[in-house]
Amino acid sequence: MTNRSSLSAILLFLFFSASSAQHNVRTERISGSAGDVLEDNPVGKLKVYVYELPSKYNKKLLQKDPRCLTHMFAAEIFMHRFLLSSPVRTLNPDEADWFYAPIYPTCDLTPTGLPLPFKSPRMMRSAIQLISSNWPYWNKTEGADHFFVVPHDFGACFHYQEEKAIERGILPLLKRATLVQTFGQRNHVCLDQGSITIPPFAPPQKMQAHLIPPDVPRSIFVYFRGLFYDVNNDPEGGYYARGARAAVWENFKNNPLFDISTDHPTTYYEDMQRSIFCLCPLGWAPWSPRLVEAVVFGCIPVIIADDIVLPFADAIPWEEIGVFVAEKDVPELDTILTSIPTEVILRKQRLLANPSMKQAMLFPQPAQPGDAFHQILNGLARKLPHDGSVYLKAGEKVLNWTAGPVGDLKPW
Amino acid sequence: MKLLSAFRSSYLNRRGSTFRSLDPSSFDGGFIPKSSPSSIFWLAIHCLCCLISLILGFRFSHLVLFFLFSTSVTNLYTTTAGVSQLLQLKPLERKTNVTRDRIRPWPHPNPIEVVRAHQLLQRVQKEQKSIYGVRSPRTVVAVTPTYVRTFQALHLTGVMHSLMLVPYDVVWIVVEAGGKTNETASFVGKSGLKTVHVGFDGKMPNTWEDRRRMESEMRIQGLRIVREEKLDGIVVFVDDSNMHSMELFDEIQSVRWFGALSVGILAHSGNADELSSVLKMNQEGKKALSMPIQGPSCDSSGKLVGWHVFDTQPYATKSGVYVDDTAAVMPSKMEWSGFVLNSRLLWKESVDERPTWVKDVNNLLDGNEEIDSPLSLVKDPSMVEPLGSCGRNVLLWWLRVEARADSKFPPGWIIKSPLDITVPSKRTPWPDSSSKLSVVTKEAKSNQAATEKLSGKPRGSKSKSYSKEKQEPKAFNGFKVPATR
């Protein structure tokens, strides 16, 4: 009797494992160092209180320049909107785990659409002064349970040039807060240990509009469109992208396997869907929206940026999904890419085909489960509960309110 | 340095006009301030530096820095060495990964890697096809009626290549009028597919009407073979003079029992005047020129409501009767090639699976009743599945082109004996053509000159004649140079 029941149990088990294995052939579950957390639901795990700041910090800036909604730093605006209507929002600050101050520091654009970071430190400082004087929660922890979205080139260092950014360092007032930023590079002044790296904003509707049927065969081996030399800002070369992009161009411009150029084709998104590898080299900063586009279109990202920290690095195992090439190895890029075993490439494509992977890179309007907003909240939830040491005793001060360049101390 | 700070403050006070190109801590960055005596002075210095850089060929500013900070004698060699030193000493701490170091000496692709990359591409595409393509592909059973004639090689080569390219299993049933011949067998054998080659009694008649009838009978014979062999798959009627697209074979995989496709009708005659007269007539009759398509027609909800048929009215009096007429050939009302069926419809057993709207196929196949189109196999034509997004995609083309009745062609298209000479080539040492040679030399010469020019190879005529005389193999009979153009 027991033999028969165990036999049937074994058969049932085999059947189920076979059927699930069949399903796994198409896509694979993604689990990073924090476990299988991409599809976690943050509701119920944390509570966020949104400060009511005057509109000069957010709405007025947006009204002055609506381009802030479409450039790659738009995550700060959409995060604010998402939090306002999210179930994790609480109106009672005493029960909040995290505090959010809605400021749009990148919404100061040049005529050509690039954000100027010069006023951002002062704006941030004035906002923090407002928060600390009107609400008691900042002073309780000096900002350790607050988070800010700073999607600039070099995060809270508030400068577009790397040397200047390193010189400035992270804004002293934000030293204890959690920073949600797009910039991520290991052993860099502008990446704090507890920061959450997010992908740059890429317009989801625009990408959805350019999808092609998945059975169109992938016929391009390596694809890249963008600048190799930045003649405006780096006329001599060797400075932009630390020479990596120029090395790609010089070595592979005549290689028929590499479809690389500085064109702006209208079929950019369609071409990415017809490629196996998409290059994502660093530019002035190591991150770029190309990573998001490559993931959405199923093209394996080839990341050429030393020590980069990719978005949601604890939830997404980027080593298994993308190909990392050291900047010094760029001349051997073709050897590296062609020597990857076939099975590895197919597995990477399966991982990329996982819809939760694509969702995690996007900021859709309205928010959908599993998207980048939820990943940010998941990341914040994983940092809970707050360590007891963040709570300061009454009157204790850790931050230096007068540190930083003299220009920052001026009022905004 | 005071000037430097003045620079910085003036820059900071302005909203950036030239963004990112301004580097306030270096005074050679191309920044031109608006108004102040110091700024004018710097402007002048900057222009001077630019001019000198143009002459010297490198950034003069480095040199000035060097001069300001070094104490050594100005020697030309030491200056250049000093400039390179300066690049490393530059206070901005530039990460000098100069691009030139990272270009490999032989920047051409390694052929082995290229082959590997192509193998990767193939493998990825295969995977894509298996994931997103057809789930469980079924065998394609192609039924082709044919007979030996001059244009058979043209038609069968096309069909053979199309079937060889089909990415699914193919069974090719070739029914040949007048019995099996080596001609057809050579094509059937060359294809490398699973084939069934049978003969059919009776010579193919010479009128289109009769030929159509015989072809229908031959196709029925093919269907009988499908029934006997119990072939499992999708039956396609591949006429030997039709042209099929590859998408056709992908599309028919989705048929359940009985499918209909749109066929492009190319009722073209060799006579251009005829076509223009037809068009003129249409314009006079104020009729819109109808689409040359035969196939299913759907309403807006995608349901099959009727059939679109090729309008043969304009060609009524002018269509070809005999197979070798130059007039346009008309298709029948409903061509066989526009229909595909599940081979299980033809099997003797498993009657339960068969839909009720199909007539008893066994009776039809065994009887001698004339079937002119597959539609007569179904009781209810509205149950036919329209394929190719409801007939909007034309996936194959119908064309009938045949040679003259008296045209001959070498059997197997292999020339056994040498071709007859009509005009000898220049300087061919034929023993009996010496008299002819002088007559035609002039024309041959001019043609030779023309062909030489075309080939573009600078060959001396002397060497050419030398090579021609010495290296002429026995079997080579020269080439036919057209005497008149």
Side-chain angles (χ1 to χ4, degrees), chain A residues 108 218 236 242 327 331, chain B residues 15 59 102 104 125 128:
Chain A
D108 182 14
R218 289 189 186 261
E236 288 179 348
R242 294 197 278 264
E327 285 168 35
Chain B
R15 291 283 285 270
R59 281 179 74 166
R102 291 202 280 167
R104 45 195 214 183
Q125 288 177 13
Q128 270 185 287

Side-chain angles (χ1 to χ4, degrees), chain A residues 384-411:
Chain A
L384 290 176
H386 291 295
D387 193 25
S389 62
V390 306
Y391 293 103
L392 305 170
K393 298 189 239 330
E396 190 184 336
K397 285 247 173 268
V398 178
L399 290 180
N400 184 354
W401 283 75
T402 53
V406 180
D408 284 359
L409 300 175
K410 296 205 188 105

Side-chain angles (χ1 to χ4, degrees), chain A residues 150-165:
Chain A
V150 278
H152 296 75
D153 284 348
F154 287 96
C157 295
F158 294 122
H159 208 279
Y160 53 86
Q161 265 202 343
E162 197 170 357
E163 289 89 9
K164 303 256 86 208

